[in-house]
Amino acid sequence: MTATTVTPGTDAASPAPALGRPRPLRMLWVTAVWGACFVAIQWGLRDAPVLWFAALRALVAGAALLAVGRSQHRPGPVGVRAWGLIAVLGLVNVTVGFGAMFAAAGGLATGTAAVLANAQPLLILLPAWWLYGEAVSRRTAGALVVGFTGLVLVAVPGGGGRGAALSLLAASAITAGTLLSRRLGSLDVIGASGWHFVIGGAVLAVVAEAVEGAPVIAWTPRFIAVLAFLSLVGSAAAFVAWFTETRRARLDALSAWTFLTPVVGIVLGAVVLSERTSGWTGVGLVAVLVAMGIVLAPGRHRPAPGPTP
């Protein structure tokens, strides 16, 4: 009797699918959009309180995805396990992740917030190995450490304290969300993404009501444009693409792309918001690009271990 590898979301008797590498153009687009989101958040916070702004981003994104799914007659989640997974994903990825990210962005420079909120490449290594058997080579682990060190060199002048702790909380929550999204299995990605935004956003709205009271929002053209970009592009479209890639790509190679997110945030923060950069910026950015090149270069990965009899 031979053992079979069980992949979350697949039949127990099916062999585990081979994991590939992320699609470069898709990931370049996703990381660039997420980098721009940090500048958009800074703009939007001029017109809306932190938690209500984060809740609106999620709720609008979720409503848009559910409308798309309905118009395309996509199947909805079925069963307690499916709904439970989507609810937990919403609480982790949206309620905690978005809430901490927006709160941190209000107290840190754009570059610093973007760097610390995108510590996922380092945080995901051990959980991906433990949960999914994705062993990481020493070369890859070393490159990720070098890359994050480069980002720290860029971001240190932006400050730390409570904002830094919130950014790291956001990074941890988003990492957990990435790990959970692999378990979506055969669920329709648009429907699952939409409901996870709605559930997480609704809970975040309850928290916002308790912490900030009734929302006081200036519905200026600027805020409407920022909210539309964050919700429809930075959340709905980007997370559907991200969750699609988590099903087919190794998580270490996938998360390495998020090194580009703070690079975009730093550049846009300097150009659009006139945030000052230090003399270490160039050194840090070179380290990031070198690290990404090492991680994404074709190479051998150690195979996932077989199941325990």
Side-chain angles (χ1 to χ4, degrees), residues 51-52 54-66 76-99 180 184 187 190-208 243:
L51 296 180
W52 276 112
L56 281 174
R57 174 185 179 180
L59 291 172
V60 173
L65 287 174
L66 293 181
V78 178
V80 175
R81 179 185 179 277
W83 280 107
L85 176 61
I86 291 172
V88 173
L89 181 61
L91 292 174
V92 171
N93 205 50
V94 177
T95 305
V96 179
F98 278 19
L180 284 170
L184 292 177
L187 291 177
I190 290 181
S193 300
W195 281 114
H196 114 281
F197 279 127
V198 169
I199 293 172
V203 175
L204 189 53
V206 172
V207 176
F243 289 158

Side-chain angles (χ1 to χ4, degrees), residues 120-157:
Q120 183 176 182
L122 292 181
L123 297 177
I124 208 168
L125 292 181
L126 289 179
W129 169 73
W130 181 54
L131 293 173
Y132 302 117
E134 295 187 18
V136 178
S137 67
R138 293 179 181 178
R139 184 191 72 168
T140 297
L144 293 177
V145 172
V146 170
F148 188 72
T149 301
L151 292 181
V152 171
L153 290 176
V154 174
V156 162

Side-chain angles (χ1 to χ4, degrees), residues 6-137:
V6 179
T7 301
T10 64
D11 187 87
S14 302
L19 296 175
R21 304 188 74 77
R23 294 180 174 90
L25 292 181
R26 174 180 288 175
M27 295 314 304
L28 186 62
W29 173 80
V30 169
T31 52
V33 165
W34 282 347
C37 283
F38 284 90
V39 175
I41 290 172
Q42 294 283 1
W43 276 343
L45 288 175
R46 301 172 184 177
D47 301 313
V50 171
L51 296 180
W52 276 112
F53 187 17
L56 281 174
R57 174 185 179 180
L59 291 172
V60 173
L65 287 174
L66 293 181
V68 170
R70 185 176 181 83
S71 68
Q72 296 179 351
H73 305 289
R74 290 175 174 268
V78 178
V80 175
R81 179 185 179 277
W83 280 107
L85 176 61
I86 291 172
V88 173
L89 181 61
L91 292 174
V92 171
N93 205 50
V94 177
T95 305
V96 179
F98 278 19
M101 182 188 301
F102 275 62
L108 289 174
T110 302
T112 304
V115 167
L116 296 177
N118 284 277
Q120 183 176 182
L122 292 181
L123 297 177
I124 208 168
L125 292 181
L126 289 179
W129 169 73
W130 181 54
L131 293 173
Y132 302 117
E134 295 187 18
V136 178
S137 67

Side-chain angles (χ1 to χ4, degrees), residues 180-306:
L180 284 170
S181 67
R182 173 70 68 79
R183 296 184 177 272
L184 292 177
S186 59
L187 291 177
D188 178 68
V189 69
I190 290 181
S193 300
W195 281 114
H196 114 281
F197 279 127
V198 169
I199 293 172
V203 175
L204 189 53
V206 172
V207 176
E209 174 69 28
V211 175
E212 299 173 341
V216 179
I217 299 173
W219 292 94
T220 62
R222 175 184 63 195
F223 180 75
I224 293 174
V226 165
L227 181 61
F229 171 76
L230 286 172
S231 300
L232 303 181
V233 182
S235 297
F239 272 95
V240 166
W242 178 260
F243 289 158
T244 299
E245 289 298 307
T246 62
R247 297 183 180 191
R248 57 169 300 277
R250 284 182 56 90
L251 296 179
D252 56 345
L254 181 65
S255 61
W257 277 96
T258 61
F259 276 147
L260 281 183
T261 298
V263 172
V264 174
I266 289 164
V267 172
L268 289 179
V271 173
V272 178
L273 302 177
S274 300
E275 293 182 350
R276 297 179 61 183
T277 58
S278 72
W280 288 101
T281 298
V283 176
L285 295 183
V286 169
V288 169
L289 296 177
V290 169
M292 277 195 61
I294 294 173
V295 174
L296 299 177
R300 293 182 177 179
H301 289 287
R302 293 163 59 189

